[in-house]
Amino acid sequence: MVEKMKENYFSIIKFCCLTVMLAYVIVVSEKSLQEISLECFLLGLFLAVSTLYELLDKEKIGCLVVEIILAILIFILFGESSVGFYLIPVVVLDTVVYFKLPLVVGLMAFGGAFFNPPDLAVYMVFCIFISVIYFQNHVMIKRYQDKLEDYEHEEFKLKDSISDKDLMFKKKLEQNSLHYKNQILEERAGIYQALHDKLGHSINGSVYQLEASKVLIHNKPEESSRIIQAVIDTLRESMDEIRFILRKEKPERKKAALLQLQGLCEECREKYGIQATLLLEGEDKEIPDQIWEVILDNAIEAVSNALKYAECSRLAIELVVMNKIVRCSIFNNGISCETIVEGMGIQGMKDRTRKVNGLIDIDGQNGFRINMIFPLTFVSERGPV
């Protein structure tokens, strides 16, 4: 009810003004109630039509025409002593508003002063008051509403733009992820091929030699012993070759992770015009694969949130490897936030960090910064890595 009154407050004020005017005519009139009954009826009709004009969203022109006809009719029937003078400001201002005429045309509302109204002072006060409330509602508040609509329109456009960017960003991340997965599969295929090419022949030869020694073990034990020793030497060499191949062909998780982080920064620069940098400092220590996974996932979540909410122009990912810990810091210079609301994204980052015995701190002052610290000796549920 209150909200409805707020929406139609101007119609209520206008109705009250015209009602007071009608009551004023009845009180100050020297005529009998019977003599002014027709005038009061026409004024009441004008009051109803004028109020209806404000409440309608469409087809207002019909009410405006009826207003004008009633005002002219009252002025003609009851002459200079009538209250028709007080209808002039209402009719003029409604006409100016409906046809969106220049505001200066609204000064015609004071034109009735030149036709000798019954009470000039009351007429001028009424004109000033009605002009002020019209100006407030149809100029000041209308401008505010137009600006508010523009802001909402811009907000919707920005949200759509962010959604499109976010969708493109996610697609690019999926493409990068698929690229790195393909690299890993290719590396695995290389390992399988190397094992097959270098070890297949020697292992097959060893099998044939063992079968021969099985036949000779009773009749020629010395020859059988020589063959078995040769097989042992061959298998030992094969084990050394396996170790060499695995050391040579083992996928470098650190290299793949750094490439993915670098690709993340390049995506921000090329697609969104954000100055994104990746910095690695410290000794070249072996970081457990589980920690690399957490760093990658949290970095992707942090960059995605920055694109959606931060409105930043600069973003930095810093990795500092120390003696026993590695520190990862992700910073953007976008919108600051004194009170951080933990959504699913931030909660997910915290959960992932805790699973590898890490610590995470989020600072929303002077931009937005996420600091993570991980122990290099990570102890998982299965034991030390």
Side-chain angles (χ1 to χ4, degrees):
M1 181 66 180
V2 175
E3 292 296 326
K4 197 67 176 178
M5 291 180 65
K6 287 181 179 179
E7 292 178 3
N8 300 314
Y9 87 98
F10 178 72
S11 303
I12 296 173
I13 292 177
K14 185 178 178 181
F15 176 83
C16 292
C17 290
L18 294 175
T19 302
V20 170
M21 180 192 68
L22 178 60
Y24 174 78
V25 171
I26 297 174
V27 171
V28 302
S29 177
E30 297 179 354
K31 303 176 183 178
S32 65
L33 186 60
Q34 184 177 1
E35 291 176 332
I36 64 171
S37 58
L38 178 59
E39 185 176 3
C40 289
F41 171 76
L42 293 176
L43 286 173
L45 187 59
F46 181 91
L47 174 63
V49 173
S50 181
T51 305
L52 183 62
Y53 169 84
E54 297 297 337
L55 296 176
L56 290 176
D57 293 329
K58 298 180 180 179
E59 306 298 334
K60 288 189 172 186
I61 186 64
C63 292
L64 181 60
V65 171
V66 175
E67 273 189 17
I68 296 173
I69 293 174
L70 287 173
I72 294 174
L73 185 62
I74 292 172
F75 194 81
I76 292 175
L77 290 178
F78 304 101
E80 297 182 356
S81 62
S82 72
V83 78
F85 287 99
Y86 300 100
L87 304 182
I88 295 176
V90 178
V91 173
V92 170
L93 293 174
D94 280 344
T95 304
V96 170
V97 170
Y98 181 82
F99 291 103
K100 299 180 181 179
L101 301 176
L103 294 178
V104 67
V105 180
L107 295 176
M108 293 178 61
F110 295 87
F114 298 100
F115 295 95
N116 192 25
D119 193 330
L120 180 60
V122 173
Y123 176 79
M124 294 301 293
V125 170
F126 178 76
C127 285
I128 293 172
F129 179 76
I130 202 75
S131 298
V132 167
I133 64 172
Y134 264 81
F135 180 80
Q136 180 187 29
N137 184 73
H138 294 288
V139 178
M140 301 300 294
I141 294 179
K142 187 65 168 62
R143 287 178 181 174
Y144 173 77
Q145 290 175 342
D146 291 342
K147 286 184 179 180
L148 190 61
E149 290 177 359
D150 291 340
Y151 290 150
E152 291 177 350
H153 182 65
E154 291 296 326
E155 183 179 1
F156 287 137
K157 287 176 61 179
L158 180 60
K159 287 181 178 179
D160 291 339
S161 174
I162 290 175
S163 298
D164 293 340
K165 287 182 178 180
D166 190 34
L167 183 60
M168 293 174 59
F169 181 71
K170 288 181 177 179
K171 287 183 178 178
K172 188 65 177 180
L173 289 179
E174 290 175 357
Q175 292 175 358
N176 289 341
S177 178
L178 182 60
H179 171 71
Y180 294 121
K181 287 179 180 178
N182 288 336
Q183 279 188 334
I184 293 173
L185 290 175
E186 290 175 1
E187 290 172 349
R188 288 178 179 175
I191 294 174
Y192 300 151
Q193 189 65 45
L195 290 173
H196 177 270
D197 294 342
K198 293 185 178 182
L199 300 180
H201 177 72
S202 62
I203 292 175
N204 285 333
S206 298
V207 171
Y208 296 147
Q209 286 180 314
L210 288 173
E211 288 177 349
S213 67
K214 182 179 178 181
V215 174
L216 299 172
I217 194 168
H218 296 293
N219 298 328
K220 298 180 179 181
E222 294 180 358
E223 182 70 17
S224 175
S225 178
R226 185 188 64 79
I227 293 174
I228 291 174
Q229 185 60 46
V231 170
I232 292 173
D233 295 337
T234 301
L235 291 176
R236 184 176 288 114
E237 291 176 1
S238 297
M239 286 298 299
D240 292 338
E241 287 186 5
I242 289 174
R243 293 189 183 97
F244 175 76
I245 291 172
L246 291 179
R247 282 196 298 268
K248 181 181 177 181
E249 302 292 340
K250 180 183 178 181
E252 297 184 15
R253 183 56 179 160
K254 171 188 173 183
K255 182 178 179 181
L258 290 176
L259 285 174
Q260 195 165 354
L261 288 174
Q262 188 64 44
L264 196 65
C265 294
E266 290 178 1
E267 180 73 12
C268 291
R269 289 193 295 268
E270 294 175 1
K271 297 292 184 181
Y272 310 110
I274 297 174
Q275 183 183 353
T277 57
L278 173 64
L279 177 64
L280 175 62
E281 294 181 357
E283 300 179 6
D284 187 12
K285 288 187 175 289
E286 186 70 20
I287 299 176
D289 290 352
Q290 294 95 327
I291 292 179
W292 275 122
E293 292 291 340
V294 173
I295 291 174
L296 282 173
D297 290 342
N298 286 359
I300 291 172
E301 182 66 34
V303 172
S304 179
N305 287 341
L307 292 176
K308 287 189 288 186
Y309 308 116
E311 300 180 11
C312 61
S313 60
R314 185 165 57 87
L315 188 146
I317 302 174
E318 298 178 359
L319 281 170
V320 180
V321 184
M322 303 179 202
N323 187 28
K324 294 184 179 181
I325 63 171
V326 57
R327 179 172 63 83
C328 177
S329 178
I330 306 169
F331 168 77
N332 71 74
N333 66 340
I335 299 174
S336 300
C337 178
E338 293 184 3
T339 303
I340 298 174
V341 179
E342 293 189 8
M344 293 182 64
I346 293 179
Q347 191 61 49
M349 285 191 284
K350 288 187 174 183
D351 291 342
R352 286 189 290 267
T353 304
R354 293 191 188 102
K355 285 181 180 179
V356 293
N357 298 336
L359 301 174
I360 184 170
D361 176 68
I362 301 175
D363 182 12
Q365 302 293 331
N366 299 321
F368 201 84
R369 182 182 294 274
I370 300 172
N371 291 315
M372 296 172 284
I373 297 177
F374 305 96
L376 285 175
T377 305
F378 165 60
V379 180
S380 67
E381 294 178 356
R382 299 180 180 178
V385 177

